[in-house]
């Protein structure tokens, strides 16, 4: 259980929850990429660290897990420490703000699960995938309609899966495959850069 006080001062508290349908979708897609180089993997928006930890353990990859909230990264690090044999580090990084701190193409693979919940995230997320990844990118996504506060402070409802569609349009040239998991209302997009 996460102490309520750890959420104080956080701009975004979504990372304090496990979003398992999207995480499982990304993990399934990553597991199927047996021939893909995965020595160095970046995870965007790692939350509690379930995906990065599992992929490090299974693929013997070194995973750099990122999230914009420091208390969330502390929890991700605890998840990793509880799983002997994983090789990873945690880094504070908000893919929405500013440019990438990494050299272009320095990661073999880039992963993200359930970080695409607003339309305005699709463009910076695609850019983060494009800059950091040299080969394969995987986005796990739980299909849903997002509710957010508009500029006037009133609740707004996005069109069905408009964030995913925005990302898919940006990634059209890199989209290798889409795997749907209807039993959990989730999907995984597999991207490939030459």
């Amino acid at each position: 259980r996460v102490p309520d006080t750890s959420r104080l001062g956080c701009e975004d508290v979504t990372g304090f929850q496990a979003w398992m349908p999207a995480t499982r979708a990304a993990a399934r897609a990553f597991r199927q990429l047996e021939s893909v180089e995965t020595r160095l993997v970046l995870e965007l928006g790692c939350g509690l660290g379930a995906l990065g930890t599992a992929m490090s353990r299974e693929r013997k990859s070194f995973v750099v897990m990122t999230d914009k909230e420091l208390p969330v990264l502390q929890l991700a690090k605890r998840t990793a420490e509880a799983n002997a044999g994983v090789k990873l580090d945690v880094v504070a990084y908000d893919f929405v703000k500013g440019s990438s701190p990494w050299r272009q193409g320095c990661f073999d693979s880039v992963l993200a699960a359930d970080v695409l919940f607003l339309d305005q995230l699709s463009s910076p997320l695609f850019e983060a995938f494009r800059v950091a990844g040299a080969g394969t990118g995987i986005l796990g996504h739980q299909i849903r309609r997002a509710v957010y506060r508009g500029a006037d402070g009133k609740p707004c409802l996005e069109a069905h899966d408009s964030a995913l569609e925005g990302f898919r349009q940006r990634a059209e040239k890199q989209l290798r495959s889409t795997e749907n998991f209807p039993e959990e209302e989730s999907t995984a997009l597999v991207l490939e850069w030459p």
Side-chain angles (χ1 to χ4, degrees):
R1 177 144 161 61
V2 178
D4 290 339
T5 56
S6 64
R7 296 176 183 185
L8 294 176
C10 289
E11 176 186 334
D12 181 356
V13 296
T14 57
F16 288 97
Q17 288 185 262
W19 301 93
M20 294 314 294
T23 299
R24 281 191 289 267
R28 288 174 188 158
F30 195 63
R31 285 181 187 117
Q32 293 176 6
L33 300 175
E34 293 175 9
S35 64
V36 171
E37 181 93 32
T38 59
R39 288 177 303 163
L40 184 58
V41 177
L42 175 67
E43 182 183 6
L44 300 167
C46 69
L48 298 175
L51 178 61
T53 299
M55 295 304 95
S56 175
R57 188 176 194 137
E58 291 178 24
R59 298 292 293 266
K60 308 294 187 228
S61 305
F62 186 90
V63 178
V64 177
M65 297 191 305
T66 69
D67 204 284
K68 69 181 188 176
E69 299 293 352
L70 292 176
V72 171
L73 284 173
Q74 291 169 350
L75 294 171
K77 193 169 186 172
R78 280 195 223 154
T79 299
E81 289 167 353
N83 288 272
V86 298
K87 301 176 292 183
L88 53 81
D89 201 356
V90 296
V91 176
Y93 169 57
D94 182 353
F95 65 83
V96 174
K97 295 180 181 172
S99 60
S100 171
W102 296 284
R103 232 180 31 253
Q104 183 157 359
C106 70
F107 291 93
D108 299 316
S109 299
V110 179
L111 304 173
D114 217 49
V115 296
L116 187 59
F117 48 87
L118 297 172
D119 286 351
Q120 59 264 32
L121 297 176
S122 61
S123 184
L125 179 61
F126 175 74
E127 187 62 14
F129 267 95
R130 186 191 68 75
V131 170
T136 302
I138 296 175
L139 173 65
H141 182 74
Q142 185 173 352
I143 299 170
R144 65 181 174 281
R145 296 174 68 174
V147 178
Y148 66 99
R149 291 207 181 275
D152 60 0
K154 294 181 180 178
C156 300
L157 182 64
E158 288 186 325
H160 180 66
D161 237 342
S162 57
L164 180 62
E165 291 311 311
F167 184 87
R168 192 186 313 261
Q169 287 173 1
R170 285 169 180 77
E172 184 177 10
K173 292 178 182 174
Q174 292 78 26
L175 189 59
R176 176 176 159 191
S177 64
T178 300
E179 296 185 48
N180 295 309
F181 305 98
E183 69 282 1
E184 292 194 311
E185 297 185 60
S186 62
T187 190
L189 276 59
V190 179
L191 311 176
E192 196 170 81
W193 277 267

